[in-house]
Amino acid sequence: MTLWRDVPIGDVLTLQRGFDITRESQSEGSVPVISSGGVSSYHDTSMADGPGVVIGRKGTLGKAFYSEGPYWPHDTTLWVRDFKGSEPKFVYYFFKNLDISFLDVGSANPTLNRNHVHPIVTRWPDAGSQRAIAQVLSALDDKIAVNARVSKAALDLASLRFDRAREQALVTVTHYEAVADVAGGGTPSTKVPEYWGGDIPWVTPTDVTALAVPYLDRTSRTITQEGFAACSSAMHPRGSILMTSRATIGAFALVSVPVTVNQGFLVVNAKDPKHQWWLFHEMQTRVGDYLAHANGATFLELSRGRFKTMDLAVPTDPIVFEQLAAEVEPLHDRARQTSQESRMLADLRDTLLPNLMSGRISVRQAESVV
């Protein structure tokens, strides 16, 4: 702790407003244009060399982004023009941990002024400690990034194997209701507190659209047994296919634990379990068809009745189902395992981050936890 000092942020780095650029004025290139929400596009010209740190200035306040190479900080951001000897990766984690929402000076749209950030007094470690802290946290982020590439490769390969099976198989046309049970969901009354906060996972479309990989094993909300009894949704078993069917149509997940769902889903389970992987991959290729059959005045919705009567091509030879399952199930298991590990690592990183940034735990302690 003797190596930490209390300093204004402006003493250890200088923030500057980003540069305006429109999509029309951009040329094709590899330079990321970083806006308040992250990389929004790519351009052939940079305005800053990497490594760089950018935080949201307008719209999304304070969200931090890191660029290893040259980049274009958008006008909706603040970027670190001068690190003043500070470790860039440490600065990135510092801003990830810093809540500056109270500095909002916007009337309609949240806005951040750099002159309000610079005077904030914070605890700041020496350069060696900065590098050590950044290395611990970066090790976790690097592993999460590797896992994301592994998961994507596994899912891409599973899709390719399904495409090959579909191209080679002799198929017959039937309807979804002939080969699958299709269910919906419901919502307990929000006016009854006793219905909420139990031990039954209750899925909303946001839970699914937020997934990086299509495996759902926890939800943002839960309901009680009383809430379940008052809900029109059944408990859906592990392996059920969830598809969002309202507003956002065609986001998918396979559930890893029994769940109940709200009314924004179609829940599909093959009558023959051997057909489940075919259904899952086939449904992912049909989003355009689902949108074409959706309707609604306020928002689009694909009704359960309409979905059940839609055409579905299935192989005439049952061996095709078994072969596909044997090929894609291990790939999905691999993607699921790496995503679960990544979530565990992210939880660990998010636990260590505020403690390392405040000096409450040492780098040596953090390394032993990792």
Side-chain angles (χ1 to χ4, degrees):
M1 292 297 293
T2 58
L3 300 177
W4 293 67
R5 57 197 175 103
D6 293 329
V7 296
I9 291 176
D11 284 5
V12 292
L13 58 88
T14 300
L15 292 168
Q16 180 172 312
R17 180 169 169 169
F19 307 93
D20 193 21
I21 188 172
T22 63
R23 289 292 183 95
E24 292 74 18
S25 63
Q26 294 177 35
S27 301
E28 185 176 350
S30 59
V31 175
V33 177
I34 304 177
S35 65
S36 61
V39 176
S40 57
S41 58
Y42 290 87
H43 189 35
D44 65 350
T45 303
S46 67
M47 292 298 287
D49 294 327
V53 175
V54 178
I55 63 172
R57 182 188 70 83
K58 183 171 289 188
T60 304
L61 297 191
K63 189 172 182 180
F65 306 96
Y66 180 82
S67 179
E68 190 66 48
Y71 62 101
W72 183 298
H74 194 269
D75 179 58
T76 56
T77 69
L78 299 175
W79 62 287
V80 180
R81 179 173 59 82
D82 186 356
F83 286 96
K84 297 183 178 180
S86 298
E87 176 68 26
K89 204 62 176 286
F90 174 84
V91 172
Y92 161 69
Y93 286 115
F94 168 77
F95 278 117
K96 277 182 67 73
N97 185 59
L98 183 65
D99 181 7
I100 52 179
S101 57
F102 69 96
L103 296 176
D104 179 14
V105 295
S107 54
N109 193 25
T111 305
L112 181 66
N113 188 319
R114 66 173 181 146
N115 294 324
H116 295 164
V117 180
H118 285 158
I120 297 175
V121 176
T122 188
R123 293 191 61 76
W124 202 258
D126 64 284
S129 297
Q130 290 178 38
R131 286 191 294 271
I133 291 171
Q135 286 170 359
V136 170
L137 297 172
S138 291
L140 295 170
D141 277 337
D142 290 346
K143 176 58 176 168
I144 291 170
V146 169
N147 283 353
R149 291 195 293 271
V150 171
S151 294
K152 184 179 184 305
L155 292 172
D156 288 347
L157 185 55
S159 295
L160 287 172
R161 291 187 172 176
F162 169 74
D163 292 341
R164 183 184 62 187
R166 187 170 57 173
E167 290 171 359
Q168 295 177 350
L170 294 175
V171 299
T172 185
V173 177
T174 182
H175 301 115
Y176 281 98
E177 63 183 352
V179 298
D181 296 318
V182 183
T187 300
S189 173
T190 57
K191 298 180 179 179
V192 183
E194 292 78 14
Y195 288 170
W196 299 93
D199 57 2
I200 299 176
W202 182 74
V203 188
T204 69
T206 302
D207 292 321
V208 171
T209 55
L211 293 173
V213 290
Y215 312 112
L216 182 72
D217 59 3
R218 64 178 177 181
T219 59
S220 56
R221 302 193 68 181
T222 58
I223 58 175
T224 62
Q225 290 291 340
E226 293 79 7
F228 176 65
C231 180
S232 58
S233 174
M235 286 298 296
H236 303 294
R238 183 180 186 275
S240 297
I241 302 169
L242 305 185
M243 185 185 81
T244 55
S245 59
R246 284 187 173 187
T248 299
I249 296 176
F252 294 91
L254 292 163
V255 299
S256 300
V257 295
V259 299
T260 186
V261 304
N262 82 353
Q263 59 272 24
F265 290 99
L266 296 176
V267 186
V268 180
N269 280 289
K271 294 178 179 179
D272 184 339
K274 296 176 183 177
H275 298 174
Q276 192 76 343
W277 285 115
W278 181 278
L279 276 176
F280 176 71
H281 282 279
E282 174 69 20
M283 288 174 64
Q284 287 188 309
T285 70
R286 299 283 302 279
V287 175
D289 292 340
Y290 303 147
L291 289 169
H293 286 84
N295 54 52
T298 306
F299 52 79
L300 286 178
E301 179 176 9
L302 177 64
S303 70
R304 187 175 5 162
R306 187 69 192 92
F307 175 82
K308 290 166 68 173
T309 60
M310 289 181 65
D311 289 344
L312 172 67
V314 295
T316 56
D317 186 349
I319 293 179
V320 175
F321 295 108
E322 299 175 13
Q323 290 176 337
L324 178 68
E327 289 185 344
V328 304
E329 190 165 1
L331 294 169
H332 281 280
D333 286 343
R334 178 61 170 159
R336 183 185 292 110
Q337 290 166 7
T338 54
S339 66
Q340 289 173 343
E341 181 184 68
S342 289
R343 194 181 69 191
M344 178 189 70
L345 294 172
D347 288 343
L348 175 59
R349 177 203 60 207
D350 294 343
T351 300
L352 291 176
L353 179 60
N355 290 287
L356 282 168
M357 287 297 168
S358 65
R360 285 193 294 268
I361 66 171
S362 67
V363 172
R364 187 181 299 275
Q365 289 171 317
E367 288 175 338
S368 67
V369 172
V370 173

